[in-house]
Amino acid sequence: MKLSKVKELLDATVYAGGDRIDEIEVTEACGSDLMSDVLAFVKDQGLMLTGLHNAQVVRTAEMMDMKAIVLVRGKTPSEEIIEIAEEGGIVFMSTEHPMFVACGILYA
């Protein structure tokens, strides 16, 4: 699924990497608020959904070669986080949906 479709389905706002959402395709996703779980259990994921909005989320995504992050529950990233995502080439979005609903929408 293209990130542009993810944006559409989740009615998401794009904060970083908006110029690449039509090009990047993801085939898998994970939803977690525990970055230690992401590091321990995620393999080859393209998209992370999380409620955490700190620099560690972006650093974790970089380490796991993730292409995009979606903040859930209407949270918005700080300018610092947006800059780190841009520097790392990670698309950063936010949706009003809670994590359970957002994951379900993408799964369907």
Side-chain angles (χ1 to χ4, degrees):
M1 175 184 306
K2 298 265 186 201
L3 288 178
S4 55
K5 185 67 173 178
V6 171
K7 177 190 180 303
E8 176 187 329
L9 289 171
L10 297 180
D11 192 27
T13 302
V14 178
Y15 291 96
D19 57 326
R20 298 184 307 277
I21 65 169
D22 292 323
E23 303 163 8
I24 299 174
E25 183 143 347
V26 292
T27 57
E28 297 186 35
C30 72
S32 182
D33 286 343
L34 295 172
M35 295 302 102
S36 59
D37 281 355
V38 174
L39 291 169
F41 300 111
V42 172
K43 296 181 179 87
D44 240 7
Q45 302 295 325
L47 174 66
M48 180 192 336
L49 293 97
T50 186
L52 296 178
H53 57 298
N54 59 40
Q56 187 64 29
V57 171
V58 181
R59 298 295 185 212
T60 302
E62 287 176 327
M63 289 176 61
M64 302 307 292
D65 293 325
M66 294 190 157
K67 299 174 184 174
I69 299 168
V70 177
L71 280 181
V72 295
R73 300 187 292 273
K75 295 184 177 183
T76 57
S78 68
E79 286 299 319
E80 175 193 11
I81 296 170
I82 294 169
E83 288 175 22
I84 295 169
E86 284 285 1
E87 290 170 6
I90 296 173
V91 175
F92 208 105
M93 298 186 243
S94 177
T95 181
E96 293 291 327
H97 295 293
M99 188 171 326
F100 180 79
V101 173
C103 289
I105 289 169
L106 295 179
Y107 182 77

XYZ file of all heavy atoms in Angstrom:
814
model
N 0.850 -1.171 0.000
C 0.000 0.000 0.000
C 0.900 1.240 0.000
O 1.852 1.317 0.760
C -0.878 -0.037 1.264
C -1.732 1.183 1.451
S -2.684 1.187 3.021
C -3.557 -0.356 2.957
N 0.584 2.162 -0.846
C 1.330 3.427 -0.896
C 1.010 4.251 0.357
O -0.089 4.182 0.905
C 0.955 4.231 -2.130
C 1.266 3.546 -3.439
C 2.590 3.984 -3.936
C 2.791 3.395 -5.334
N 4.153 3.337 -5.695
N 1.993 5.040 0.789
C 1.765 5.895 1.954
C 0.671 6.927 1.692
O -0.005 7.365 2.626
C 3.060 6.570 2.388
C 4.077 5.652 3.047
C 5.351 6.425 3.391
C 3.507 4.977 4.280
N 0.458 7.286 0.444
C -0.634 8.207 0.122
C -1.984 7.566 0.458
O -2.915 8.246 0.909
C -0.580 8.630 -1.340
O -0.566 7.505 -2.194
N -2.088 6.244 0.290
C -3.324 5.528 0.639
C -3.472 5.442 2.156
O -4.575 5.579 2.692
C -3.309 4.127 0.018
C -4.583 3.361 0.216
C -5.734 3.998 -0.537
C -6.969 3.105 -0.463
N -8.122 3.701 -1.141
N -2.362 5.231 2.867
C -2.380 5.233 4.333
C -2.904 6.583 4.817
O -3.779 6.651 5.680
C -0.978 4.952 4.914
C -0.952 5.175 6.425
C -0.520 3.544 4.563
N -2.371 7.658 4.258
C -2.806 9.016 4.620
C -4.304 9.170 4.405
O -5.026 9.678 5.249
C -2.044 10.054 3.804
C -2.501 11.489 4.064
C -1.885 12.446 3.059
C -2.308 13.878 3.270
N -3.725 14.139 3.244
N -4.771 8.705 3.254
C -6.191 8.825 2.917
C -7.061 8.007 3.870
O -8.051 8.510 4.413
C -6.401 8.344 1.482
C -7.839 8.323 1.028
C -7.996 7.679 -0.343
O -7.071 7.771 -1.165
O -9.056 7.071 -0.569
N -6.704 6.752 4.093
C -7.505 5.870 4.946
C -7.582 6.359 6.391
O -8.623 6.239 7.033
C -6.932 4.453 4.918
C -7.109 3.670 3.624
C -6.312 2.377 3.678
C -8.581 3.395 3.352
N -6.469 6.884 6.885
C -6.430 7.338 8.275
C -6.771 8.807 8.431
O -6.767 9.322 9.545
C -5.041 7.068 8.876
C -4.622 5.603 8.967
C -3.236 5.488 9.574
C -5.639 4.789 9.758
N -7.080 9.473 7.317
C -7.351 10.908 7.328
C -6.235 11.617 8.106
O -6.485 12.407 9.012
C -8.719 11.195 7.939
C -9.165 12.621 7.705
O -8.726 13.236 6.706
O -9.945 13.137 8.532
N -4.997 11.291 7.732
C -3.821 11.738 8.468
C -3.288 13.072 7.951
O -3.481 13.432 6.794
C -2.713 10.684 8.372
N -2.599 13.758 8.834
C -1.863 14.976 8.505
C -0.399 14.593 8.357
O 0.147 13.883 9.203
C -2.005 16.014 9.639
O -3.398 16.299 9.826
C -1.252 17.294 9.310
N 0.239 15.048 7.280
C 1.646 14.736 7.045
C 2.507 15.890 7.542
O 2.285 17.039 7.179
C 1.914 14.484 5.539
C 3.394 14.202 5.301
C 1.056 13.348 5.027
N 3.486 15.568 8.375
C 4.383 16.580 8.941
C 5.777 16.545 8.327
O 6.467 17.552 8.328
C 4.495 16.404 10.459
C 3.227 16.759 11.171
C 2.305 15.774 11.515
C 2.924 18.076 11.482
C 1.129 16.102 12.163
C 1.751 18.411 12.127
C 0.859 17.423 12.464
O -0.310 17.747 13.097
N 6.193 15.385 7.838
C 7.525 15.256 7.244
C 7.450 14.255 6.098
O 6.710 13.270 6.168
C 8.540 14.782 8.268
N 8.193 14.527 5.037
C 8.279 13.605 3.917
C 7.076 13.569 3.003
O 6.898 12.609 2.259
N 6.277 14.602 3.043
C 5.068 14.629 2.215
C 5.328 14.511 0.728
O 4.474 14.021 -0.017
N 6.504 14.910 0.302
C 6.833 14.838 -1.127
C 7.119 13.406 -1.585
O 7.215 13.142 -2.776
C 8.048 15.725 -1.433
C 9.268 15.365 -0.602
O 9.106 14.950 0.561
O 10.383 15.515 -1.117
N 7.193 12.452 -0.633
C 7.511 11.072 -0.992
C 6.356 10.096 -0.787
O 6.499 8.904 -1.071
C 8.721 10.608 -0.173
C 9.968 11.410 -0.460
C 11.182 10.878 0.277
N 11.022 10.722 1.716
C 11.170 11.702 2.622
N 11.479 12.915 2.232
N 11.016 11.466 3.908
N 5.211 10.554 -0.319
C 4.143 9.606 0.033
C 3.546 8.889 -1.174
O 2.993 7.806 -1.021
C 3.032 10.246 0.887
C 2.272 11.323 0.132
C 3.571 10.774 2.200
C 1.014 11.785 0.852
N 3.649 9.464 -2.353
C 3.132 8.787 -3.542
C 4.101 7.736 -4.061
O 3.711 6.874 -4.852
C 2.840 9.799 -4.655
C 1.675 10.709 -4.305
O 0.711 10.219 -3.687
O 1.727 11.896 -4.650
N 5.338 7.777 -3.629
C 6.370 6.864 -4.124
C 6.603 5.670 -3.210
O 6.949 4.592 -3.676
C 7.698 7.614 -4.262
C 7.644 8.832 -5.155
C 8.834 9.754 -4.934
O 9.773 9.377 -4.200
O 8.824 10.848 -5.508
N 6.450 5.865 -1.914
C 6.826 4.828 -0.949
C 5.675 3.858 -0.722
O 4.545 4.255 -0.453
C 7.258 5.457 0.389
C 8.478 6.352 0.169
C 7.551 4.376 1.425
C 8.909 7.131 1.387
N 6.009 2.578 -0.812
C 5.033 1.524 -0.568
C 5.437 0.744 0.676
O 6.619 0.450 0.880
C 4.965 0.592 -1.772
C 3.935 -0.476 -1.617
C 3.228 -0.810 -2.915
O 3.364 -0.063 -3.884
O 2.531 -1.817 -2.915
N 4.452 0.410 1.498
C 4.692 -0.416 2.681
C 3.836 -1.671 2.570
O 2.727 -1.629 2.058
C 4.392 0.337 3.993
C 5.381 1.457 4.217
C 2.977 0.883 4.032
N 4.389 -2.772 3.036
C 3.654 -4.038 2.987
C 3.327 -4.560 4.375
O 2.526 -5.474 4.515
C 4.454 -5.106 2.220
O 5.726 -5.273 2.847
C 4.639 -4.702 0.760
N 3.988 -3.991 5.397
C 3.748 -4.426 6.762
C 3.784 -3.224 7.699
O 4.345 -2.189 7.359
C 4.797 -5.442 7.194
C 4.744 -6.706 6.358
C 5.678 -7.769 6.856
O 5.860 -7.863 8.086
O 6.209 -8.502 6.026
N 3.175 -3.413 8.870
C 3.148 -2.337 9.858
C 3.176 -2.932 11.257
O 2.897 -4.122 11.439
C 1.894 -1.492 9.677
N 3.518 -2.092 12.223
C 3.445 -2.507 13.624
C 2.855 -1.358 14.416
O 2.998 -0.201 14.052
C 4.814 -2.898 14.164
S 5.939 -1.524 14.426
N 2.195 -1.700 15.491
C 1.645 -0.697 16.389
C 2.162 -0.958 17.793
O 1.952 -2.044 18.332
N 2.865 0.013 18.365
C 3.429 -0.175 19.699
C 3.779 1.163 20.332
O 4.209 2.088 19.649
C 4.689 -1.036 19.629
O 5.210 -1.259 20.920
N 3.624 1.222 21.641
C 4.101 2.369 22.413
C 5.376 2.017 23.164
O 5.939 2.856 23.851
C 3.031 2.842 23.401
C 1.898 3.589 22.715
O 2.087 4.026 21.567
O 0.828 3.733 23.328
N 5.832 0.797 23.037
C 7.063 0.349 23.681
C 8.149 0.175 22.620
O 8.122 -0.785 21.855
C 6.841 -0.974 24.420
C 5.886 -0.930 25.602
C 5.619 -2.335 26.120
C 6.453 -0.064 26.707
N 9.093 1.088 22.599
C 10.141 1.010 21.596
C 11.028 -0.209 21.803
O 11.576 -0.761 20.852
C 10.971 2.292 21.566
C 10.178 3.525 21.121
S 9.440 3.373 19.472
C 7.726 3.012 19.868
N 11.130 -0.696 23.042
C 11.900 -1.910 23.289
C 11.255 -3.104 22.586
O 11.959 -3.982 22.067
C 12.032 -2.177 24.791
O 10.755 -2.301 25.381
N 9.915 -3.149 22.527
C 9.236 -4.218 21.794
C 9.486 -4.091 20.298
O 9.669 -5.092 19.608
C 7.728 -4.187 22.062
C 7.355 -4.810 23.394
O 8.262 -5.354 24.071
O 6.166 -4.747 23.748
N 9.478 -2.881 19.801
C 9.759 -2.669 18.378
C 11.156 -3.191 18.055
O 11.356 -3.926 17.085
C 9.621 -1.180 17.997
C 10.061 -0.947 16.557
C 8.186 -0.707 18.193
N 12.127 -2.844 18.880
C 13.505 -3.293 18.654
C 13.639 -4.809 18.774
O 14.410 -5.429 18.041
C 14.457 -2.604 19.625
C 14.664 -1.110 19.399
C 15.421 -0.496 20.577
C 15.389 -0.845 18.099
N 12.891 -5.410 19.686
C 13.028 -6.844 19.934
C 12.265 -7.723 18.956
O 12.724 -8.805 18.610
C 12.572 -7.158 21.364
N 11.110 -7.267 18.490
C 10.234 -8.163 17.749
C 9.947 -7.776 16.311
O 9.459 -8.579 15.532
C 8.897 -8.314 18.495
C 9.061 -8.865 19.873
C 8.827 -8.077 20.986
C 9.475 -10.170 20.077
C 8.993 -8.571 22.271
C 9.643 -10.677 21.348
C 9.387 -9.880 22.454
N 10.204 -6.561 15.923
C 9.851 -6.108 14.582
C 10.936 -6.515 13.595
O 12.114 -6.336 13.856
C 9.637 -4.578 14.575
C 9.463 -4.070 13.160
C 8.431 -4.222 15.414
N 10.482 -7.041 12.478
C 11.412 -7.417 11.416
C 10.873 -6.863 10.100
O 9.744 -7.120 9.735
C 11.527 -8.930 11.327
C 12.127 -9.563 12.560
C 12.220 -11.061 12.386
C 12.829 -11.695 13.591
N 11.901 -12.017 14.635
N 11.692 -6.119 9.427
C 11.361 -5.656 8.073
C 10.029 -4.917 7.978
O 9.261 -5.138 7.049
C 11.333 -6.854 7.131
C 12.336 -6.694 6.024
O 13.127 -5.741 6.077
O 12.322 -7.519 5.103
N 9.744 -4.085 8.934
C 8.476 -3.351 8.902
C 8.624 -2.053 8.122
O 9.687 -1.455 8.115
C 8.016 -3.038 10.330
C 7.851 -4.254 11.191
C 6.752 -5.176 10.744
O 5.725 -4.739 10.259
N 6.966 -6.458 10.882
N 7.581 -1.613 7.512
C 7.617 -0.380 6.757
C 6.966 0.794 7.467
O 7.298 1.937 7.207
N 6.038 0.508 8.400
C 5.232 1.563 9.012
C 5.053 1.276 10.496
O 4.729 0.156 10.880
C 3.862 1.603 8.327
C 2.796 2.529 8.876
C 3.189 3.987 8.694
C 1.469 2.258 8.201
N 5.288 2.293 11.323
C 5.070 2.166 12.760
C 3.949 3.097 13.185
O 3.972 4.278 12.854
C 6.331 2.526 13.546
C 6.139 2.414 15.048
S 7.420 3.111 16.150
C 8.881 3.148 15.217
N 2.985 2.558 13.926
C 1.937 3.363 14.536
C 2.227 3.425 16.028
O 2.486 2.385 16.656
C 0.560 2.747 14.306
C 0.095 2.749 12.852
C 0.392 1.418 12.212
C -1.365 3.067 12.762
N 2.191 4.617 16.600
C 2.525 4.776 18.013
C 1.856 6.012 18.592
O 1.500 6.935 17.860
C 4.063 4.850 18.215
O 4.347 4.864 19.607
C 4.660 6.069 17.548
N 1.725 6.009 19.900
C 1.212 7.175 20.604
C 2.324 8.010 21.209
O 2.069 9.068 21.774
N 3.542 7.515 21.117
C 4.687 8.260 21.665
C 5.128 9.333 20.682
O 5.240 9.069 19.493
C 5.859 7.315 21.932
C 5.625 6.240 22.983
C 6.860 5.368 23.102
C 5.286 6.854 24.322
N 5.396 10.496 21.204
C 5.852 11.568 20.314
C 7.112 12.207 20.885
O 7.111 13.309 21.410
C 4.745 12.582 20.036
C 4.151 13.222 21.248
N 3.495 12.524 22.213
C 4.128 14.510 21.649
C 3.082 13.356 23.146
N 3.465 14.568 22.836
N 8.202 11.428 20.754
C 9.510 11.927 21.174
C 10.563 11.495 20.157
O 10.279 10.705 19.254
C 9.856 11.450 22.592
C 9.879 9.949 22.723
O 10.356 9.247 21.850
N 9.350 9.446 23.824
N 11.759 12.008 20.321
C 12.827 11.729 19.356
C 13.191 10.252 19.319
O 13.624 9.742 18.281
C 14.050 12.579 19.682
N 13.003 9.547 20.426
C 13.346 8.122 20.468
C 12.547 7.311 19.457
O 13.041 6.332 18.912
C 13.124 7.578 21.890
C 13.606 6.164 22.074
C 15.117 6.038 21.900
O 15.859 6.966 22.157
N 15.564 4.885 21.459
N 11.321 7.726 19.193
C 10.486 7.030 18.210
C 11.140 7.092 16.832
O 11.226 6.086 16.125
C 9.066 7.647 18.173
C 8.256 7.100 17.015
C 8.356 7.409 19.487
N 11.606 8.271 16.457
C 12.244 8.428 15.150
C 13.560 7.669 15.107
O 13.876 7.003 14.112
C 12.449 9.917 14.801
C 13.080 10.057 13.425
C 11.131 10.677 14.862
N 14.330 7.724 16.174
C 15.608 6.995 16.221
C 15.378 5.490 16.109
O 16.118 4.783 15.425
C 16.359 7.319 17.518
C 16.725 8.767 17.673
C 17.726 9.209 16.625
N 18.133 10.592 16.885
C 18.458 11.435 15.951
N 18.443 11.077 14.693
N 18.816 12.665 16.259
N 14.340 4.990 16.765
C 14.003 3.571 16.667
C 13.602 3.215 15.245
O 14.045 2.195 14.703
C 12.869 3.211 17.646
O 13.279 3.535 18.976
C 12.503 1.749 17.559
N 12.790 4.033 14.623
C 12.376 3.791 13.237
C 13.580 3.769 12.308
O 13.657 2.932 11.400
C 11.375 4.857 12.794
N 14.529 4.668 12.536
C 15.746 4.687 11.724
C 16.521 3.384 11.887
O 16.963 2.796 10.895
C 16.645 5.859 12.119
C 16.152 7.202 11.675
C 17.034 8.338 12.174
O 17.613 8.240 13.276
O 17.127 9.336 11.444
N 16.673 2.918 13.119
C 17.415 1.684 13.378
C 16.757 0.476 12.723
O 17.432 -0.464 12.304
C 17.536 1.438 14.882
C 18.468 2.398 15.575
S 18.500 2.156 17.364
C 19.077 0.480 17.481
N 15.438 0.501 12.623
C 14.698 -0.632 12.068
C 14.389 -0.453 10.579
O 13.628 -1.227 10.008
C 13.397 -0.831 12.860
C 13.611 -1.074 14.348
S 14.754 -2.420 14.714
C 13.829 -3.815 14.148
N 14.977 0.560 9.968
C 14.764 0.842 8.541
C 13.295 1.011 8.177
O 12.842 0.583 7.118
C 15.396 -0.241 7.663
C 16.902 -0.241 7.761
O 17.483 0.852 7.907
O 17.503 -1.326 7.698
N 12.548 1.638 9.067
C 11.143 1.903 8.783
C 11.029 3.108 7.865
O 11.853 4.014 7.914
C 10.374 2.124 10.074
C 10.307 0.894 10.909
S 9.178 1.108 12.270
C 8.790 -0.578 12.608
N 9.988 3.104 7.059
C 9.799 4.163 6.085
C 8.894 5.273 6.590
O 8.950 6.388 6.091
C 9.215 3.562 4.805
C 10.133 2.537 4.182
C 9.475 1.865 3.011
C 10.397 0.772 2.471
N 9.765 0.001 1.441
N 8.043 4.952 7.589
C 7.068 5.949 8.032
C 6.618 5.689 9.467
O 6.640 4.560 9.942
C 5.854 5.941 7.110
N 6.178 6.767 10.096
C 5.619 6.730 11.449
C 4.273 7.443 11.403
O 4.148 8.501 10.781
C 6.529 7.452 12.460
C 7.902 6.801 12.531
C 5.878 7.514 13.835
C 8.936 7.623 13.278
N 3.279 6.850 12.074
C 1.974 7.502 12.226
C 1.705 7.650 13.717
O 1.637 6.660 14.445
C 0.837 6.697 11.568
C -0.503 7.376 11.820
C 1.075 6.514 10.074
N 1.584 8.886 14.169
C 1.153 9.144 15.549
C -0.355 8.956 15.623
O -1.079 9.391 14.729
C 1.482 10.580 15.959
C 2.901 10.900 16.374
C 3.010 12.376 16.758
C 3.352 10.034 17.522
N -0.820 8.318 16.677
C -2.253 8.087 16.849
C -2.810 8.983 17.950
O -2.077 9.694 18.617
C -2.522 6.594 17.164
C -2.142 5.715 15.977
C -1.782 6.148 18.416
N -4.111 8.948 18.104
C -4.831 9.710 19.142
C -4.669 11.219 19.003
O -4.686 11.949 19.989
C -4.414 9.236 20.546
C -4.691 7.763 20.798
C -4.437 7.333 22.221
N -3.055 7.360 22.636
C -2.189 6.357 22.470
N -2.562 5.256 21.865
N -0.951 6.464 22.915
N -4.466 11.690 17.783
C -4.425 13.120 17.525
C -3.201 13.843 18.036
O -3.188 15.073 18.112
N -2.167 13.126 18.378
C -0.948 13.769 18.876
C -0.192 14.412 17.719
O -0.249 13.948 16.591
C -0.075 12.754 19.596
C -0.759 12.219 20.844
C 0.126 11.296 21.602
C -0.589 10.846 22.875
N 0.278 9.990 23.673
N 0.509 15.488 18.029
C 1.288 16.182 17.003
C 2.764 16.221 17.400
O 3.089 16.409 18.571
C 0.781 17.616 16.774
O 0.819 18.319 18.013
C -0.627 17.622 16.226
N 3.649 16.052 16.435
C 5.086 16.060 16.735
C 5.617 17.476 16.918
O 5.097 18.428 16.345
C 5.702 15.407 15.497
C 4.756 15.765 14.395
C 3.384 15.771 15.023
N 6.678 17.586 17.709
C 7.347 18.875 17.885
C 8.187 19.177 16.647
O 8.443 18.299 15.819
C 8.248 18.835 19.118
O 9.339 17.945 18.889
N 8.640 20.409 16.541
C 9.515 20.792 15.422
C 10.795 19.966 15.423
O 11.298 19.596 14.369
C 9.847 22.287 15.488
C 8.698 23.184 15.082
C 8.258 22.945 13.639
O 9.122 22.765 12.757
O 7.037 22.937 13.403
N 11.318 19.675 16.614
C 12.537 18.862 16.719
C 12.319 17.478 16.100
O 13.153 16.986 15.343
C 12.948 18.710 18.181
C 14.126 17.778 18.379
C 14.351 17.369 19.830
O 13.481 17.634 20.684
O 15.405 16.779 20.085
N 11.201 16.857 16.428
C 10.900 15.525 15.902
C 10.718 15.572 14.390
O 11.196 14.692 13.669
C 9.657 14.944 16.596
C 9.942 14.733 18.079
C 9.232 13.640 15.941
C 8.736 14.383 18.910
N 10.046 16.592 13.906
C 9.848 16.744 12.460
C 11.193 16.872 11.756
O 11.435 16.232 10.725
C 8.935 17.954 12.159
C 7.525 17.695 12.685
C 8.919 18.262 10.656
C 6.623 18.913 12.689
N 12.091 17.662 12.322
C 13.425 17.835 11.727
C 14.205 16.527 11.710
O 14.853 16.201 10.709
C 14.213 18.894 12.499
C 13.730 20.300 12.272
C 14.460 21.319 13.145
O 15.589 21.008 13.606
O 13.901 22.397 13.373
N 14.155 15.770 12.797
C 14.860 14.491 12.858
C 14.298 13.518 11.822
O 15.045 12.803 11.155
C 14.792 13.890 14.284
C 15.536 14.786 15.275
C 15.369 12.479 14.309
C 15.302 14.408 16.731
N 12.977 13.493 11.681
C 12.348 12.621 10.681
C 12.775 13.017 9.275
O 13.114 12.152 8.452
C 10.829 12.671 10.822
N 12.768 14.306 8.988
C 13.195 14.779 7.665
C 14.636 14.378 7.383
O 14.952 13.887 6.306
C 13.045 16.301 7.563
C 11.635 16.791 7.379
C 11.063 16.581 5.981
O 11.752 16.015 5.102
O 9.917 16.971 5.767
N 15.516 14.582 8.374
C 16.924 14.229 8.207
C 17.106 12.735 7.965
O 17.982 12.332 7.205
C 17.730 14.638 9.445
C 17.892 16.132 9.600
C 18.476 16.515 10.961
O 18.866 15.626 11.742
O 18.518 17.734 11.236
N 16.271 11.922 8.609
C 16.359 10.474 8.461
C 15.599 9.919 7.283
O 15.609 8.709 7.048
N 14.912 10.790 6.544
C 14.149 10.339 5.382
C 12.899 9.552 5.739
O 12.422 8.731 4.957
N 12.345 9.812 6.922
C 11.160 9.099 7.389
C 9.927 9.971 7.232
O 9.918 11.128 7.630
C 11.332 8.678 8.863
C 12.484 7.685 8.967
C 10.052 8.090 9.426
C 12.857 7.313 10.377
N 8.894 9.413 6.646
C 7.617 10.115 6.521
C 6.959 10.092 7.897
O 6.920 9.057 8.562
C 6.718 9.433 5.470
C 5.348 10.097 5.429
C 7.379 9.471 4.097
N 6.445 11.241 8.337
C 5.841 11.355 9.666
C 4.436 11.911 9.526
O 4.244 12.986 8.964
C 6.688 12.282 10.544
C 6.583 11.982 12.002
C 7.613 11.352 12.666
C 5.450 12.322 12.718
C 7.533 11.074 14.025
C 5.339 12.042 14.062
C 6.386 11.415 14.723
N 3.449 11.151 10.015
C 2.044 11.549 9.930
C 1.378 11.459 11.298
O 1.930 10.854 12.215
C 1.284 10.615 8.980
C 1.741 10.606 7.563
S 0.634 9.581 6.553
C 1.775 8.315 6.037
N 0.190 12.020 11.391
C -0.607 11.925 12.610
C -2.066 11.719 12.234
O -2.548 12.280 11.248
C -0.460 13.205 13.435
O -1.277 13.143 14.587
N -2.765 10.892 13.025
C -4.190 10.652 12.812
C -4.942 10.820 14.124
O -4.370 10.629 15.203
C -4.446 9.233 12.241
O -5.851 9.056 12.019
C -3.945 8.142 13.174
N -6.198 11.160 14.043
C -7.044 11.303 15.224
C -7.483 9.947 15.772
O -7.884 9.839 16.925
C -8.291 12.134 14.892
C -8.004 13.590 14.555
C -7.534 14.384 15.764
O -7.981 14.102 16.892
O -6.687 15.271 15.578
N -7.387 8.905 14.965
C -7.845 7.579 15.381
C -6.990 7.024 16.520
O -5.781 7.239 16.549
C -7.771 6.588 14.215
C -8.692 6.896 13.090
N -10.059 6.824 13.209
C -8.440 7.289 11.820
C -10.611 7.147 12.053
N -9.655 7.439 11.195
N -7.607 6.260 17.434
C -6.800 5.541 18.417
C -6.050 4.405 17.709
O -6.386 4.032 16.580
C -7.835 4.990 19.414
C -9.136 5.027 18.702
C -9.039 6.096 17.643
N -5.040 3.853 18.359
C -4.196 2.860 17.710
C -4.999 1.635 17.221
O -4.795 1.162 16.112
C -3.062 2.396 18.620
C -2.098 1.511 17.840
S -0.567 1.034 18.599
C -0.059 2.358 19.594
N -5.879 1.133 18.051
C -6.665 -0.045 17.685
C -7.446 0.179 16.393
O -7.430 -0.646 15.481
C -7.623 -0.424 18.826
C -8.470 -1.628 18.549
C -7.932 -2.899 18.681
C -9.783 -1.470 18.164
C -8.723 -4.026 18.422
C -10.581 -2.583 17.906
C -10.045 -3.863 18.033
N -8.099 1.320 16.304
C -8.903 1.641 15.123
C -7.988 1.847 13.910
O -8.261 1.332 12.815
C -9.780 2.884 15.377
C -10.479 3.338 14.112
C -10.787 2.585 16.476
N -6.904 2.578 14.077
C -5.982 2.841 12.964
C -5.410 1.533 12.414
O -5.362 1.337 11.192
C -4.861 3.779 13.402
N -4.993 0.646 13.305
C -4.468 -0.655 12.863
C -5.547 -1.441 12.136
O -5.281 -2.069 11.101
C -3.921 -1.442 14.038
S -2.395 -0.795 14.730
N -6.763 -1.408 12.656
C -7.871 -2.133 12.022
C -8.189 -1.597 10.642
O -8.446 -2.375 9.716
N -8.187 -0.306 10.481
C -8.442 0.315 9.174
C -7.395 -0.138 8.166
O -7.729 -0.530 7.041
C -8.463 1.859 9.286
C -9.708 2.318 10.029
C -8.382 2.500 7.893
C -9.699 3.789 10.412
N -6.133 -0.116 8.561
C -5.078 -0.517 7.640
C -5.125 -2.020 7.358
O -4.861 -2.441 6.231
C -3.715 -0.130 8.195
C -3.474 1.383 8.336
C -2.102 1.642 8.929
C -3.619 2.083 6.986
N -5.466 -2.812 8.349
C -5.546 -4.258 8.158
C -6.655 -4.624 7.177
O -6.475 -5.501 6.340
C -5.767 -4.964 9.495
C -5.812 -6.458 9.359
C -4.637 -7.191 9.199
C -7.021 -7.147 9.378
C -4.666 -8.572 9.072
C -7.066 -8.523 9.241
C -5.891 -9.232 9.087
O -5.930 -10.595 8.947
N -7.781 -3.927 7.280
C -8.932 -4.230 6.415
C -8.581 -3.960 4.975
O -9.033 -4.578 4.065
C -10.133 -3.410 6.835
